[in-house]
């Protein structure tokens, strides 16, 4: 039962794929898996890698979305309609990382942990 909240976030992410990314601004970091189909082998493998790290994602307020390269929500972030890979969008709504598949989740976590906002979050959590 401890996996239920993260699973719900993951499913919510898929369900809301057509919505704007602005709804997550200042509350979540967003990892977006970009591919032509959720059934692509690369997409499945990448999804599995992140879902194996649910606690790490939850700790960093990361949600996982899947989108096609021509998604309206991605047009401003990546003009390349042929891109397939992983995007990291920060809480401020800015693109923080763009890497082609495969991407180890630890790369994303390390990048997030190096950000000033995340460092402040860790200090606050340490003091509580």
């Amino acid at each position: 039962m401890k996996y239920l909240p993260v699973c719900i976030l993951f499913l919510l992410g898929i369900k809301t794929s057509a919505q704007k990314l602005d709804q997550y601004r200042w509350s979540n970091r967003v990892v977006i898996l970009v591919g032509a189909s959720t059934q692509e082998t690369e997409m499945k493998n990448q999804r599995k890698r992140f879902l194996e790290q649910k606690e790490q994602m939850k700790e960093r307020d990361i949600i996982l979305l899947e989108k096609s390269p021509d998604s309206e929500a991605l047009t401003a972030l990546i003009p390349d309609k042929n891109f397939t890979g992983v995007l990291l969008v920060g809480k401020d709504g800015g693109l923080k990382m763009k890497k082609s598949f495969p991407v180890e989740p630890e790369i994303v976590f390390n990048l997030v942990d190096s950000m000033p906002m995340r460092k402040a979050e860790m200090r606050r959590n340490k003091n509580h």
Side-chain angles (χ1 to χ4, degrees):
M1 200 55 137
K2 68 180 182 178
Y3 297 109
L4 186 60
V6 177
C7 290
I8 289 172
L9 283 176
F10 177 68
L11 293 174
L12 176 69
I14 291 174
K15 185 178 177 185
T16 63
S17 65
Q19 294 180 349
K20 301 274 186 199
L21 293 174
D22 287 346
Q23 68 185 355
Y24 304 109
R25 190 172 290 191
W26 305 119
S27 61
N28 293 100
R29 294 172 181 93
V30 183
V31 169
I32 307 170
L33 307 183
V34 182
S37 163
T38 59
Q39 299 307 309
E40 285 180 355
T41 302
E42 288 181 317
M43 188 81 114
K44 285 181 178 181
N45 290 339
Q46 193 68 68
R47 178 188 318 121
K48 182 179 182 227
R49 283 184 172 141
F50 277 100
L51 290 179
E52 289 172 346
Q53 302 292 326
K54 292 175 186 175
E55 288 301 316
Q56 298 281 357
M57 291 176 60
K58 183 179 176 183
E59 180 182 321
R60 291 167 178 83
D61 299 325
I62 294 174
I63 61 168
L64 186 63
L65 301 179
E66 295 179 358
K67 297 188 179 289
S68 65
D70 60 353
S71 167
E72 180 183 330
L74 297 184
T75 305
L77 291 175
I78 53 167
D80 181 5
K81 302 266 188 233
N82 296 317
F83 174 77
T84 59
V86 178
L87 303 176
L88 171 64
V89 178
K91 285 188 174 183
D92 64 357
L95 181 64
K96 307 301 181 188
M97 185 192 81
K98 174 186 168 189
K99 288 191 179 273
S100 298
F101 293 133
V103 176
E104 290 301 323
E106 291 77 21
I107 291 171
V108 173
F109 302 150
N110 290 338
L111 178 59
V112 168
D113 289 346
S114 72
M115 296 175 181
M117 190 180 299
R118 173 67 179 144
K119 287 180 180 181
E121 291 168 358
M122 290 188 291
R123 281 192 301 273
R124 275 194 309 272
N125 291 339
K126 187 177 179 180
N127 292 331
H128 287 111

